[in-house]
Amino acid sequence: MSSPASSLLRVRRQLLSSAFSALSLRRFSTSSLLDVSGESKENATLGQRPSFIHPTAVVHPDAVLGQGVSIGPFCTVGSSVKLGNACQLYPGSHIFGNTEIGDQCVLMTGAVVGDDIPGRTVIGRNNFIGHHSVVGIKCQDMKYRAGDESFLEIGDNNDIREHTSVHLSSKPNDKTVIGNNNLIMGSCHIAHDCKVGNNNIFANNSLLAGHVVVEDYAHTAGAIVVHQFCRISSFSFIGGGSVVSQDVPRYMMVSGERAELRGLNLEGLRRRGFSDTEIRSLRTAYRKIFMPTDASGGGIEKRLAELELHEELACVPAVLQMVVSIRNSFAEDRRGICKFRSWSDS
């Protein structure tokens, strides 16, 4: 039997542990960190709330911390880290390497940002990095050589959800880039040297291989794969489960196990404010390029040239942008465009 003294000590430890856990949960609950006392996120900035560093967090004395930061239990902040004002690190999140994070960013439990290798990771303001995501870590490219510098730049207002991976560049003269206002849903992968623009939506399990370029306002459905060096142009849509091995031109929709053109992204164009006149012109141009009445009327380059000289269509900027997008995909260092296939051929 245990002695009365040891029993009393055990009870005290249990009470202390329960109180510690309850305090941590209250201090780092979603409501308290993301909506401080019901106020807007902007009110959680400099001077509105004191900084908090949990006693179990490991924060290097050389790290630069902004004002009003919250660093939860069992977090790690490395020696070369610069953390902006009002950033919030949930329990068990970590920041390593030469990493700079802007104001009002949130790292959820298990998130890892930065890596202890040469190079730099720079993240803008108001970004959300979800549970167990890894952002700014060493790439998975055989060309990478240990000791080379690697870089990642992320803009502002991005929502990077749980279990997503974003890798550093593979070479010191390149960088992985993500712009502003992107929604990157759970379990996505953005590989080394990718260039992602602004206002894109990647649904769950969207996988981008190395050197992929995604322009602006593109939308992917779930479980898609994009081959290395492909370009996903602005206002395009990729159907769920697609394997994209060539470029997706501007304004177009692709789908399929080997993704093929399926027409224009009409719903996406309407949502982005394209006028009825612009959409009608784009549909007419699309038919002239991919569904010509005279199949023996020459190749795609001839049809593109005819569009540029068309009396009406050549006056519509959206049409000319589509023509340029298609033509650029046939440059020597590009992969061409996804093949055309009508729905009736499916």
Side-chain angles (χ1 to χ4, degrees), residues 223-273:
I224 67 100
V225 179
V226 182
H227 191 283
Q228 60 189 14
F229 293 102
C230 286
R231 177 179 288 262
I232 311 301
S233 298
S234 296
F235 305 102
S236 60
F237 180 85
I238 301 176
S242 298
V243 177
V244 179
S245 56
Q246 293 176 288
D247 291 358
V248 180
R250 196 176 181 97
Y251 311 126
M252 297 188 191
M253 178 172 60
V254 302
S255 69
E257 188 273 331
R258 280 292 182 267
E260 298 173 322
L261 298 178
R262 300 290 188 169
L264 295 173
N265 178 23
L266 296 176
E267 185 59 32
L269 295 176
R270 295 188 186 102
R271 291 179 180 179
R272 299 317 315 168

Short mmCIF file of all heavy atoms in Angstrom, two decimals, residues 223-273:
data_model
loop_
_atom_site.label_atom_id
_atom_site.label_comp_id
_atom_site.label_asym_id
_atom_site.label_seq_id
_atom_site.Cartn_x
_atom_site.Cartn_y
_atom_site.Cartn_z
N ALA A 223 -8.65 15.85 -55.94
CA ALA A 223 -7.88 14.69 -56.39
C ALA A 223 -7.38 14.84 -57.82
O ALA A 223 -7.53 13.95 -58.66
CB ALA A 223 -8.70 13.41 -56.25
N ILE A 224 -6.76 15.98 -58.11
CA ILE A 224 -6.19 16.18 -59.44
C ILE A 224 -4.67 16.17 -59.34
O ILE A 224 -4.09 16.44 -58.29
CB ILE A 224 -6.70 17.48 -60.10
CG1 ILE A 224 -6.18 18.73 -59.35
CG2 ILE A 224 -8.21 17.50 -60.15
CD1 ILE A 224 -5.02 19.41 -59.99
N VAL A 225 -4.03 15.85 -60.46
CA VAL A 225 -2.57 15.80 -60.53
C VAL A 225 -2.12 16.62 -61.73
O VAL A 225 -2.69 16.51 -62.82
CB VAL A 225 -2.07 14.34 -60.69
CG1 VAL A 225 -0.56 14.31 -60.78
CG2 VAL A 225 -2.56 13.48 -59.54
N VAL A 226 -1.12 17.47 -61.53
CA VAL A 226 -0.59 18.28 -62.62
C VAL A 226 0.87 17.91 -62.85
O VAL A 226 1.69 17.96 -61.92
CB VAL A 226 -0.72 19.78 -62.33
CG1 VAL A 226 -0.21 20.60 -63.51
CG2 VAL A 226 -2.17 20.15 -62.03
N HIS A 227 1.20 17.54 -64.08
CA HIS A 227 2.55 17.15 -64.48
C HIS A 227 3.50 18.33 -64.35
O HIS A 227 3.11 19.49 -64.52
CB HIS A 227 2.50 16.64 -65.92
CG HIS A 227 3.75 15.98 -66.40
ND1 HIS A 227 4.88 16.67 -66.77
CD2 HIS A 227 4.04 14.67 -66.58
CE1 HIS A 227 5.81 15.82 -67.16
NE2 HIS A 227 5.33 14.60 -67.05
N GLN A 228 4.77 18.04 -64.09
CA GLN A 228 5.77 19.10 -63.96
C GLN A 228 5.86 19.94 -65.22
O GLN A 228 5.64 19.48 -66.33
CB GLN A 228 7.13 18.50 -63.64
CG GLN A 228 7.66 17.54 -64.68
CD GLN A 228 8.92 16.83 -64.21
OE1 GLN A 228 9.24 16.86 -63.04
NE2 GLN A 228 9.62 16.19 -65.14
N PHE A 229 6.15 21.21 -65.03
CA PHE A 229 6.34 22.21 -66.08
C PHE A 229 5.05 22.57 -66.82
O PHE A 229 5.11 23.30 -67.82
CB PHE A 229 7.40 21.76 -67.10
CG PHE A 229 8.78 21.69 -66.52
CD1 PHE A 229 9.34 20.48 -66.17
CD2 PHE A 229 9.53 22.84 -66.33
CE1 PHE A 229 10.62 20.41 -65.63
CE2 PHE A 229 10.81 22.78 -65.79
CZ PHE A 229 11.36 21.57 -65.44
N CYS A 230 3.90 22.14 -66.36
CA CYS A 230 2.65 22.55 -67.00
C CYS A 230 2.23 23.93 -66.51
O CYS A 230 2.66 24.39 -65.45
CB CYS A 230 1.53 21.55 -66.71
SG CYS A 230 1.66 20.01 -67.63
N ARG A 231 1.35 24.57 -67.28
CA ARG A 231 0.80 25.88 -66.90
C ARG A 231 -0.72 25.79 -66.85
O ARG A 231 -1.37 25.36 -67.82
CB ARG A 231 1.22 26.96 -67.91
CG ARG A 231 0.62 28.35 -67.61
CD ARG A 231 1.11 29.36 -68.62
NE ARG A 231 2.51 29.69 -68.42
CZ ARG A 231 2.96 30.76 -67.76
NH1 ARG A 231 2.10 31.62 -67.23
NH2 ARG A 231 4.25 30.97 -67.64
N ILE A 232 -1.26 26.23 -65.72
CA ILE A 232 -2.71 26.32 -65.56
C ILE A 232 -3.07 27.79 -65.68
O ILE A 232 -2.75 28.59 -64.79
CB ILE A 232 -3.17 25.75 -64.20
CG1 ILE A 232 -2.54 24.37 -63.95
CG2 ILE A 232 -4.68 25.70 -64.12
CD1 ILE A 232 -2.86 23.34 -65.00
N SER A 233 -3.72 28.17 -66.75
CA SER A 233 -3.92 29.59 -67.04
C SER A 233 -5.10 30.16 -66.26
O SER A 233 -5.91 29.44 -65.67
CB SER A 233 -4.12 29.80 -68.54
OG SER A 233 -2.97 29.38 -69.25
N SER A 234 -5.21 31.46 -66.28
CA SER A 234 -6.22 32.18 -65.50
C SER A 234 -7.64 31.79 -65.91
O SER A 234 -7.92 31.52 -67.08
CB SER A 234 -6.05 33.68 -65.68
OG SER A 234 -4.80 34.12 -65.18
N PHE A 235 -8.51 31.76 -64.91
CA PHE A 235 -9.94 31.52 -65.07
C PHE A 235 -10.26 30.13 -65.64
O PHE A 235 -11.31 29.92 -66.22
CB PHE A 235 -10.58 32.59 -65.98
CG PHE A 235 -10.34 33.99 -65.52
CD1 PHE A 235 -9.38 34.79 -66.12
CD2 PHE A 235 -11.06 34.53 -64.47
CE1 PHE A 235 -9.14 36.08 -65.69
CE2 PHE A 235 -10.84 35.82 -64.03
CZ PHE A 235 -9.87 36.60 -64.64
N SER A 236 -9.34 29.20 -65.46
CA SER A 236 -9.58 27.84 -65.95
C SER A 236 -10.10 26.96 -64.83
O SER A 236 -10.06 27.32 -63.65
CB SER A 236 -8.30 27.25 -66.55
OG SER A 236 -7.27 27.21 -65.57
N PHE A 237 -10.60 25.79 -65.21
CA PHE A 237 -11.16 24.84 -64.25
C PHE A 237 -10.69 23.44 -64.60
O PHE A 237 -10.69 23.05 -65.77
CB PHE A 237 -12.69 24.89 -64.27
CG PHE A 237 -13.34 23.93 -63.30
CD1 PHE A 237 -13.53 24.28 -61.97
CD2 PHE A 237 -13.74 22.67 -63.71
CE1 PHE A 237 -14.11 23.41 -61.07
CE2 PHE A 237 -14.33 21.79 -62.83
CZ PHE A 237 -14.52 22.15 -61.51
N ILE A 238 -10.28 22.68 -63.58
CA ILE A 238 -9.85 21.29 -63.77
C ILE A 238 -10.83 20.39 -63.03
O ILE A 238 -11.03 20.52 -61.82
CB ILE A 238 -8.43 21.08 -63.23
CG1 ILE A 238 -7.44 22.00 -63.95
CG2 ILE A 238 -8.00 19.63 -63.41
CD1 ILE A 238 -6.03 21.94 -63.42
N GLY A 239 -11.46 19.48 -63.75
CA GLY A 239 -12.44 18.58 -63.16
C GLY A 239 -11.81 17.58 -62.21
O GLY A 239 -10.63 17.23 -62.31
N GLY A 240 -12.61 17.08 -61.27
CA GLY A 240 -12.13 16.17 -60.25
C GLY A 240 -11.53 14.90 -60.82
O GLY A 240 -12.03 14.32 -61.79
N GLY A 241 -10.43 14.44 -60.21
CA GLY A 241 -9.78 13.21 -60.62
C GLY A 241 -8.97 13.30 -61.89
O GLY A 241 -8.50 12.28 -62.39
N SER A 242 -8.75 14.50 -62.40
CA SER A 242 -8.05 14.65 -63.67
C SER A 242 -6.53 14.52 -63.50
O SER A 242 -5.98 14.85 -62.45
CB SER A 242 -8.36 16.02 -64.30
OG SER A 242 -9.73 16.15 -64.60
N VAL A 243 -5.89 14.04 -64.55
CA VAL A 243 -4.43 14.02 -64.65
C VAL A 243 -4.05 14.97 -65.77
O VAL A 243 -4.34 14.71 -66.94
CB VAL A 243 -3.89 12.61 -64.93
CG1 VAL A 243 -2.38 12.64 -65.10
CG2 VAL A 243 -4.30 11.66 -63.82
N VAL A 244 -3.45 16.09 -65.44
CA VAL A 244 -3.14 17.14 -66.41
C VAL A 244 -1.68 16.98 -66.81
O VAL A 244 -0.78 17.14 -65.98
CB VAL A 244 -3.40 18.53 -65.81
CG1 VAL A 244 -3.05 19.61 -66.83
CG2 VAL A 244 -4.85 18.66 -65.36
N SER A 245 -1.45 16.70 -68.07
CA SER A 245 -0.08 16.50 -68.55
C SER A 245 0.34 17.54 -69.58
O SER A 245 1.46 17.49 -70.07
CB SER A 245 0.08 15.10 -69.15
OG SER A 245 -0.86 14.90 -70.19
N GLN A 246 -0.57 18.48 -69.91
CA GLN A 246 -0.25 19.57 -70.82
C GLN A 246 -0.92 20.85 -70.30
O GLN A 246 -1.70 20.80 -69.34
CB GLN A 246 -0.71 19.26 -72.25
CG GLN A 246 0.08 18.11 -72.89
CD GLN A 246 -0.45 17.75 -74.27
OE1 GLN A 246 -1.51 17.18 -74.41
NE2 GLN A 246 0.33 18.10 -75.30
N ASP A 247 -0.65 21.96 -70.93
CA ASP A 247 -1.17 23.24 -70.45
C ASP A 247 -2.69 23.32 -70.56
O ASP A 247 -3.29 22.76 -71.49
CB ASP A 247 -0.56 24.39 -71.26
CG ASP A 247 0.92 24.59 -70.98
OD1 ASP A 247 1.48 23.86 -70.14
OD2 ASP A 247 1.51 25.49 -71.61
N VAL A 248 -3.27 24.04 -69.62
CA VAL A 248 -4.71 24.36 -69.68
C VAL A 248 -4.82 25.83 -70.09
O VAL A 248 -4.43 26.72 -69.33
CB VAL A 248 -5.39 24.14 -68.32
CG1 VAL A 248 -6.87 24.48 -68.42
CG2 VAL A 248 -5.20 22.71 -67.85
N PRO A 249 -5.34 26.12 -71.30
CA PRO A 249 -5.38 27.51 -71.75
C PRO A 249 -6.35 28.37 -70.93
O PRO A 249 -7.21 27.87 -70.21
CB PRO A 249 -5.85 27.39 -73.21
CG PRO A 249 -5.56 25.98 -73.60
CD PRO A 249 -5.75 25.19 -72.35
N ARG A 250 -6.21 29.63 -71.09
CA ARG A 250 -7.02 30.63 -70.39
C ARG A 250 -8.50 30.42 -70.67
O ARG A 250 -8.90 30.16 -71.81
CB ARG A 250 -6.58 32.02 -70.85
CG ARG A 250 -7.02 33.18 -69.97
CD ARG A 250 -6.41 34.46 -70.51
NE ARG A 250 -6.76 35.63 -69.72
CZ ARG A 250 -6.00 36.15 -68.77
NH1 ARG A 250 -4.83 35.60 -68.50
NH2 ARG A 250 -6.38 37.22 -68.10
N TYR A 251 -9.31 30.49 -69.63
CA TYR A 251 -10.77 30.43 -69.66
C TYR A 251 -11.34 29.03 -69.89
O TYR A 251 -12.56 28.87 -69.98
CB TYR A 251 -11.37 31.34 -70.76
CG TYR A 251 -10.86 32.75 -70.77
CD1 TYR A 251 -10.31 33.29 -71.94
CD2 TYR A 251 -10.91 33.55 -69.64
CE1 TYR A 251 -9.83 34.58 -71.97
CE2 TYR A 251 -10.44 34.85 -69.66
CZ TYR A 251 -9.90 35.36 -70.82
OH TYR A 251 -9.42 36.64 -70.85
N MET A 252 -10.53 28.00 -69.96
CA MET A 252 -11.03 26.70 -70.42
C MET A 252 -11.20 25.71 -69.28
O MET A 252 -10.66 25.87 -68.18
CB MET A 252 -10.11 26.13 -71.50
CG MET A 252 -10.10 27.01 -72.73
SD MET A 252 -9.24 26.30 -74.13
CE MET A 252 -9.17 27.75 -75.19
N MET A 253 -11.98 24.69 -69.56
CA MET A 253 -12.27 23.63 -68.60
C MET A 253 -11.72 22.32 -69.17
O MET A 253 -11.90 22.02 -70.35
CB MET A 253 -13.79 23.51 -68.38
CG MET A 253 -14.22 22.40 -67.46
SD MET A 253 -15.99 22.49 -67.09
CE MET A 253 -16.70 22.34 -68.73
N VAL A 254 -11.04 21.55 -68.31
CA VAL A 254 -10.53 20.25 -68.73
C VAL A 254 -10.95 19.20 -67.72
O VAL A 254 -11.22 19.50 -66.55
CB VAL A 254 -8.98 20.25 -68.85
CG1 VAL A 254 -8.51 21.30 -69.85
CG2 VAL A 254 -8.32 20.46 -67.51
N SER A 255 -11.01 17.97 -68.15
CA SER A 255 -11.27 16.84 -67.25
C SER A 255 -10.85 15.56 -67.93
O SER A 255 -10.64 15.52 -69.14
CB SER A 255 -12.76 16.78 -66.85
OG SER A 255 -13.55 16.40 -67.95
N GLY A 256 -10.72 14.52 -67.15
CA GLY A 256 -10.40 13.21 -67.69
C GLY A 256 -9.14 12.63 -67.09
O GLY A 256 -8.29 13.34 -66.55
N GLU A 257 -9.03 11.30 -67.20
CA GLU A 257 -7.86 10.60 -66.69
C GLU A 257 -6.58 11.10 -67.36
O GLU A 257 -5.54 11.17 -66.73
CB GLU A 257 -8.04 9.09 -66.91
CG GLU A 257 -6.99 8.21 -66.27
CD GLU A 257 -5.78 8.02 -67.18
OE1 GLU A 257 -5.94 8.06 -68.41
OE2 GLU A 257 -4.67 7.82 -66.64
N ARG A 258 -6.67 11.46 -68.63
CA ARG A 258 -5.68 12.31 -69.30
C ARG A 258 -6.48 13.53 -69.75
O ARG A 258 -7.20 13.48 -70.75
CB ARG A 258 -5.02 11.60 -70.49
CG ARG A 258 -3.92 10.65 -70.08
CD ARG A 258 -2.72 11.41 -69.51
NE ARG A 258 -1.62 10.52 -69.16
CZ ARG A 258 -1.43 10.00 -67.96
NH1 ARG A 258 -2.30 10.26 -67.00
NH2 ARG A 258 -0.39 9.23 -67.71
N ALA A 259 -6.35 14.61 -69.00
CA ALA A 259 -7.27 15.73 -69.12
C ALA A 259 -7.35 16.25 -70.55
O ALA A 259 -6.33 16.44 -71.22
CB ALA A 259 -6.85 16.84 -68.18
N GLU A 260 -8.58 16.47 -71.01
CA GLU A 260 -8.85 16.99 -72.34
C GLU A 260 -9.76 18.19 -72.23
O GLU A 260 -10.52 18.34 -71.26
CB GLU A 260 -9.50 15.91 -73.21
CG GLU A 260 -8.59 14.70 -73.41
CD GLU A 260 -9.30 13.56 -74.13
OE1 GLU A 260 -10.50 13.35 -73.86
OE2 GLU A 260 -8.66 12.90 -74.95
N LEU A 261 -9.68 19.07 -73.23
CA LEU A 261 -10.52 20.26 -73.24
C LEU A 261 -11.99 19.88 -73.33
O LEU A 261 -12.38 19.06 -74.16
CB LEU A 261 -10.16 21.16 -74.42
CG LEU A 261 -8.73 21.73 -74.44
CD1 LEU A 261 -8.52 22.55 -75.70
CD2 LEU A 261 -8.47 22.56 -73.21
N ARG A 262 -12.80 20.50 -72.47
CA ARG A 262 -14.24 20.22 -72.45
C ARG A 262 -15.07 21.47 -72.66
O ARG A 262 -16.26 21.49 -72.35
CB ARG A 262 -14.62 19.60 -71.10
CG ARG A 262 -13.91 18.28 -70.80
CD ARG A 262 -14.40 17.17 -71.70
NE ARG A 262 -13.85 15.90 -71.30
CZ ARG A 262 -14.26 14.72 -71.76
NH1 ARG A 262 -15.22 14.68 -72.67
NH2 ARG A 262 -13.70 13.60 -71.34
N GLY A 263 -14.45 22.52 -73.16
CA GLY A 263 -15.18 23.76 -73.39
C GLY A 263 -14.67 24.86 -72.49
O GLY A 263 -13.61 24.76 -71.86
N LEU A 264 -15.44 25.94 -72.44
CA LEU A 264 -15.08 27.08 -71.61
C LEU A 264 -15.58 26.89 -70.18
O LEU A 264 -16.58 26.21 -69.94
CB LEU A 264 -15.68 28.36 -72.19
CG LEU A 264 -15.16 28.80 -73.56
CD1 LEU A 264 -15.97 29.98 -74.08
CD2 LEU A 264 -13.68 29.17 -73.49
N ASN A 265 -14.90 27.53 -69.26
CA ASN A 265 -15.30 27.53 -67.86
C ASN A 265 -16.39 28.58 -67.67
O ASN A 265 -16.19 29.63 -67.05
CB ASN A 265 -14.09 27.81 -66.98
CG ASN A 265 -14.43 27.87 -65.51
OD1 ASN A 265 -15.43 27.31 -65.06
ND2 ASN A 265 -13.59 28.56 -64.75
N LEU A 266 -17.57 28.31 -68.22
CA LEU A 266 -18.63 29.32 -68.30
C LEU A 266 -19.07 29.81 -66.93
O LEU A 266 -19.25 31.01 -66.71
CB LEU A 266 -19.82 28.77 -69.08
CG LEU A 266 -19.53 28.43 -70.56
CD1 LEU A 266 -20.75 27.79 -71.20
CD2 LEU A 266 -19.11 29.68 -71.31
N GLU A 267 -19.29 28.89 -66.01
CA GLU A 267 -19.75 29.29 -64.68
C GLU A 267 -18.69 30.13 -63.98
O GLU A 267 -19.00 31.13 -63.32
CB GLU A 267 -20.08 28.06 -63.84
CG GLU A 267 -20.69 28.38 -62.48
CD GLU A 267 -21.97 29.18 -62.58
OE1 GLU A 267 -22.72 28.99 -63.56
OE2 GLU A 267 -22.22 29.99 -61.67
N GLY A 268 -17.44 29.75 -64.13
CA GLY A 268 -16.37 30.54 -63.54
C GLY A 268 -16.28 31.93 -64.13
O GLY A 268 -16.05 32.91 -63.41
N LEU A 269 -16.49 32.05 -65.44
CA LEU A 269 -16.46 33.36 -66.08
C LEU A 269 -17.60 34.24 -65.58
O LEU A 269 -17.41 35.44 -65.30
CB LEU A 269 -16.55 33.20 -67.60
CG LEU A 269 -15.36 32.49 -68.27
CD1 LEU A 269 -15.60 32.32 -69.76
CD2 LEU A 269 -14.07 33.25 -68.02
N ARG A 270 -18.78 33.66 -65.43
CA ARG A 270 -19.91 34.44 -64.92
C ARG A 270 -19.65 34.91 -63.50
O ARG A 270 -19.93 36.06 -63.15
CB ARG A 270 -21.19 33.61 -64.98
CG ARG A 270 -21.64 33.25 -66.40
CD ARG A 270 -23.01 32.59 -66.40
NE ARG A 270 -23.37 32.12 -67.74
CZ ARG A 270 -23.30 30.85 -68.12
NH1 ARG A 270 -22.88 29.92 -67.26
NH2 ARG A 270 -23.64 30.50 -69.34
N ARG A 271 -19.11 34.03 -62.68
CA ARG A 271 -18.83 34.40 -61.29
C ARG A 271 -17.79 35.50 -61.19
O ARG A 271 -17.81 36.28 -60.24
CB ARG A 271 -18.36 33.17 -60.50
CG ARG A 271 -19.44 32.13 -60.28
CD ARG A 271 -18.89 30.94 -59.51
NE ARG A 271 -19.91 29.93 -59.28
CZ ARG A 271 -19.70 28.78 -58.64
NH1 ARG A 271 -18.48 28.50 -58.17
NH2 ARG A 271 -20.68 27.92 -58.46
N ARG A 272 -16.87 35.55 -62.14
CA ARG A 272 -15.82 36.56 -62.11
C ARG A 272 -16.23 37.84 -62.81
O ARG A 272 -15.41 38.74 -62.99
CB ARG A 272 -14.53 36.03 -62.73
CG ARG A 272 -13.91 34.82 -62.05
CD ARG A 272 -13.88 34.86 -60.56
NE ARG A 272 -13.44 36.15 -60.01
CZ ARG A 272 -13.55 36.48 -58.73
NH1 ARG A 272 -14.11 35.64 -57.88
NH2 ARG A 272 -13.12 37.65 -58.32
N GLY A 273 -17.49 37.95 -63.23
CA GLY A 273 -18.00 39.21 -63.75
C GLY A 273 -17.82 39.43 -65.23
O GLY A 273 -17.98 40.57 -65.70
#
